[in-house]
Structure formats: structure tokens, C-alpha cells
Amino acid sequence: MSDEDRPSSSSSKRASLLRLKSKVKEVKQVVMSSQLPQTHYKKEVTRPTRLTGLFPNTTNPVVFSAPMLGTANGRLAAEVSKAGGFGFIPAGYNFNPESGPDHLGQLGEELKIARKVLDLEQATLTAVPVGVGFILCHESARTHFIERAIPVLQEYSPQAVWLFAPRVEDVEGGVVRGIIDVLHDNGFVVFYQVGTVKAVKEAVRDGADVVVAQGTDAGGHQFARGAGTMSFLREVVEVVKGEKERTGREVEVVGAGGVVDGRGVVAALALGADAVVMGTRFILAEEATTPKFKQELIAKTTDGASSTFKHTVMDDIQGTTIWPKIYDGRAIVGGSVEDHLNGVPVEDNIRLFKEAAEKGETDRTITWAGSGVGLVSKTQPAGEIVKEVREEALQRIKELPTLF
């Protein structure tokens, strides 16, 4: 072979490099397919963050769907995750095997559904890219959570666990810290929902990986004494930054309350949040288990400032007794709330609520929703909501430089 016919050293190296790149690509495809089907990994090109490192199926800006009891479920959560967000399934509050609703039994079924939707039925050793949300204010959390909830989580393997509303004595007595330690021992990322700076510091101290900073704009249950998302989220970011400097621990901050579209996402990111949680917007998801009359009410409600009301009285009226008084909720103003605002005694309001329920009337029903409800008007698939919100956020980010 002549020198002209002999491959050069540089061309040989290029050929080797191409073969190596091809091999790396094949390995990546195998690794990715072992977690989720390849089609679920089609992402926009965005900078990876610690949060997307914790949840590789997510795409920035990350949208989490809240674990709303009575609304969220395995299918909704899975569709959110398929679209590059991250969905949470509600696991309720009762951990007592002797009495009350069997929330943990229902949780197992919902996690099976999520695994099926994500094509992971056969991949039993692969964690499901969804989370599970627990309410801790029931007394059974202290006595039965580790005994009853951990085995279910071990069996069905979600990636994350969201904790909310522990009793004050359980925080101060180390019960919550013990729960978080056990969750970490089993490999779960722990989210901790907060509504005050004091709660933020407790969450970081007790080992939370992600703090959900919920402002009072949020719908449903929250801290009775709190601040709007705009001011609260900014303060939480500063507190977490200070805790990192003091302890060296990395804790992510996720903003919640009043975020219903891409513009809200951008606002939360500008305030320092790493991602957002949306609740009210997903009440209108096609996969939601929300009764149709509540979806229709939310879709037609405008002016969240005057059409929603935040108080403890809604729980009194509908007979929800598990919540300590440090928590209340925001709901749409209906017949029951109108009567309360007009001075009708709680006892009479309860009676009217029960009478309406017996007749099948819905005008006195409590419908939880955030102050952003006026921006929520259409029913969509959950995955479509995630994609629409993300695309709107990215477009708004691109437009911002033109303002300056």
C-alpha cells in the first residue's frame, strides 16, 4: 500500500472517535430506557439543575402538580411526569389500621396505575417518577406512619414523598425528624410544605431536601397566618440560602400559591425559586377525579380576589375535624361562605349545608381554589397543561430582554 492509500493517523483517530461517540449514544439510550421509555425524554434544551438531577425525567422550568386529596390521582400524576413535569399522588392522613378511611390501600392502587401509564409495569426495580403526599396532622401519624406507610412506599417505589401539616408537638418532639430519617434511609427525596419562616427553618433542620414555599394565594389548606407568595417566596429563598451557608446543606425551594400559567412560573423563578407547584390549574385536568360541577364552577369563576375566601370556617361547616387551628383554607365563595360573611351562626350554617347535601344540591358545597382561579377556564389533559405552561414560560423569558 502506498503512502497515499494508507489512512492518515488523524483520519484513523476521527474514525475511532466516531465509533466511541456512537457507542456512548447506545449506552445512554439503554440507561434512559431502563428508567422511562425513550419517548418520555424528549426535552427542550435547558440548563440542567440540581432539581433536574434529582428527577432526570423533568424539563426546566419544572412544574410539579400538587397532591390534592379528592382531585389528584395516579393517572394525573403520571401524565404530568410524562410531559416533563413531576406529579404527586395524595396519600391522605389516616395511618390507623383500625379505623377511618383506608388511604394507604388506595395509594397502592394509584401507584400501580401510575406505573402502568408510564410503561413501567415490568420494570419493578425502577422507581416510578411520581411522588406521594402525606398530611401529618392526624394523631395516627405519630403512632403508625413508619409502621404502615413505609412498607407501601417500599413496595411501589415512588421517587419522592411530600409532607405537610405536622402537629406542633410532633415537630418539637422529633417525630417528623424521625419520619424524614426513615424516608431518607429508603432513598426517597423529601418535600416539606411550609407557610412561615419558622416552618422553613424546622424543615431544613429536620432534613427536608425540597421546601415547598406556599403563599396565601394558594387554594386549599395552608397556614392560617402567612404572607402572599410574592413576599413569602423571596424571604424563604433568603432563609434557605442562609441555612446553606450555616450548615452546608443544599435545599431546593419550590414556589406555590397563585401560579396557574407560564407568567406565574417566570415570576416565581425571578424571586429565586427553583421550580413551581400548581394546584388549581390541575383541578381542571381531564384526569382529575374532581366532581364535574366543581370543575364547571372553577372554570366560570373570575376575580379571585373577591370570589375566594380564606378561613377555618369552611372546615367547620363541612365537618372536617383533623386540622389544627394553625391551618385554614381558601375556597370559592358559595352559599355557605356567603351566609358566614352575612353573620349566619356556624351551627345554622352546618345544618343548611347538611340539608343541601341530602337534597343533592351543590351550591353550598365547599370548593377549594386559589386566588388565581380567574385565570383558569378550560379543561385539558394534564400533560398538555404542563407543556403549555412550560412553553409560555420559556417564551416570556425570551421576551424579557426586549423590555430593557
Side-chain angles (χ1 to χ4, degrees):
M1 181 182 293
S2 68
D3 289 341
E4 291 180 354
D5 294 330
R6 184 178 293 110
S8 69
S9 175
S10 60
S11 63
S12 178
K13 287 180 179 178
R14 282 196 297 270
S16 297
L17 183 59
L18 288 172
R19 287 195 297 271
L20 178 60
K21 285 183 175 179
S22 177
K23 189 66 177 176
V24 169
K25 185 176 181 181
E26 290 175 12
V27 171
K28 281 185 177 180
Q29 289 176 340
V30 171
V31 170
M32 291 162 70
S33 64
S34 70
Q35 298 174 50
L36 276 180
Q38 184 73 20
T39 54
H40 297 166
Y41 275 79
K42 186 177 180 181
K43 299 183 179 183
E44 294 85 353
V45 179
T46 56
R47 182 175 62 85
T49 62
R50 183 171 178 271
L51 201 58
T52 57
L54 289 171
F55 306 109
N57 67 294
T58 57
T59 300
N60 280 319
V62 182
V63 174
F64 293 92
S65 61
M68 299 170 287
L69 196 59
T71 289
N73 54 58
R75 184 171 298 280
L76 190 157
E79 292 295 345
V80 167
S81 295
K82 280 176 67 175
F86 191 90
F88 275 89
I89 300 169
Y93 58 82
N94 183 53
F95 311 102
N96 188 342
E98 303 299 328
S99 62
D102 183 19
H103 290 150
L104 292 175
Q106 296 170 32
L107 173 61
E109 293 304 310
E110 294 300 332
L111 284 165
K112 286 181 183 178
I113 292 171
R115 188 172 283 276
K116 182 176 181 180
V117 171
L118 292 165
D119 299 329
L120 290 172
E121 286 181 289
Q122 305 305 316
T124 55
L125 297 180
T126 300
V128 187
V130 298
V132 170
F134 293 102
I135 297 168
L136 298 182
C137 55
H138 193 269
E139 60 183 9
S140 62
R142 171 193 289 265
T143 56
H144 291 89
F145 183 93
I146 293 175
E147 169 196 342
R148 294 262 287 138
I150 296 299
V152 177
L153 296 173
Q154 289 172 329
E155 180 177 359
Y156 295 102
S157 301
Q159 287 185 349
V161 173
W162 172 318
L163 305 176
F164 176 49
R167 298 187 302 175
V168 172
E169 56 266 38
D170 287 346
V171 175
E172 295 176 349
V175 173
V176 177
R177 177 59 181 265
I179 288 173
I180 292 176
D181 285 346
V182 173
L183 290 171
H184 280 159
D185 289 344
N186 284 274
F188 301 110
V189 178
V190 177
F191 285 60
Y192 198 125
Q193 181 179 332
V194 299
T196 65
V197 167
K198 179 176 182 289
V200 174
K201 292 180 177 179
E202 290 169 347
V204 175
R205 178 201 67 198
D206 288 345
D209 302 297
V210 181
V211 169
V212 180
Q214 183 193 43
T216 54
D217 309 76
H221 288 90
Q222 56 191 272
F223 280 69
R225 294 182 64 181
T229 305
M230 180 68 75
S231 58
F232 180 59
L233 178 54
R234 186 71 188 96
E235 188 170 6
V236 171
V237 170
E238 289 302 307
V239 170
V240 169
K241 180 181 177 182
E243 290 297 302
K244 177 185 176 182
E245 293 172 352
R246 187 176 66 83
T247 66
R249 286 196 65 236
E250 289 273 4
V251 178
E252 305 302 294
V253 176
V254 175
V259 180
V260 296
D261 59 18
R263 292 166 295 177
V265 172
V266 175
L269 296 178
L271 292 170
D274 299 292
V276 301
V277 171
M278 296 199 315
T280 301
R281 180 73 181 267
F282 285 109
I283 297 176
L284 264 62
E286 289 181 0
E287 299 85 354
T289 50
T290 311
K292 190 169 181 59
F293 76 88
K294 288 190 176 185
Q295 289 184 320
E296 292 173 348
L297 174 61
I298 288 172
K300 72 179 183 182
T301 298
T302 58
D303 188 7
S306 63
S307 63
T308 64
F309 181 64
K310 173 176 154 64
H311 203 276
T312 59
V313 73
M314 285 83 83
D315 282 321
D316 296 333
I317 291 170
Q318 66 179 7
T320 308
T321 60
I322 68 166
W323 296 96
K325 289 302 180 183
I326 63 170
Y327 303 104
D328 67 3
R330 181 180 295 278
I332 292 175
V333 175
S336 296
V337 175
E338 285 281 9
D339 280 352
H340 168 75
L341 294 173
N342 290 327
V344 173
V346 173
E347 294 77 11
D348 291 342
N349 218 332
I350 292 172
R351 175 179 54 79
L352 293 169
F353 178 88
K354 290 180 178 178
E355 290 174 356
E358 290 171 358
K359 296 175 183 177
E361 299 172 354
T362 61
D363 62 307
R364 304 190 72 86
T365 302
I366 305 301
T367 300
W368 306 110
S371 62
V373 66
L375 298 169
V376 178
S377 60
K378 60 181 179 180
T379 301
Q380 298 171 269
E384 185 177 299
I385 292 173
V386 174
K387 293 174 184 176
E388 181 178 293
V389 169
R390 184 168 61 238
E391 289 167 4
E392 183 181 5
L394 292 172
Q395 181 59 36
R396 187 58 183 152
I397 290 170
K398 291 176 183 176
E399 293 170 350
L400 286 176
T402 64
L403 300 177
F404 304 98

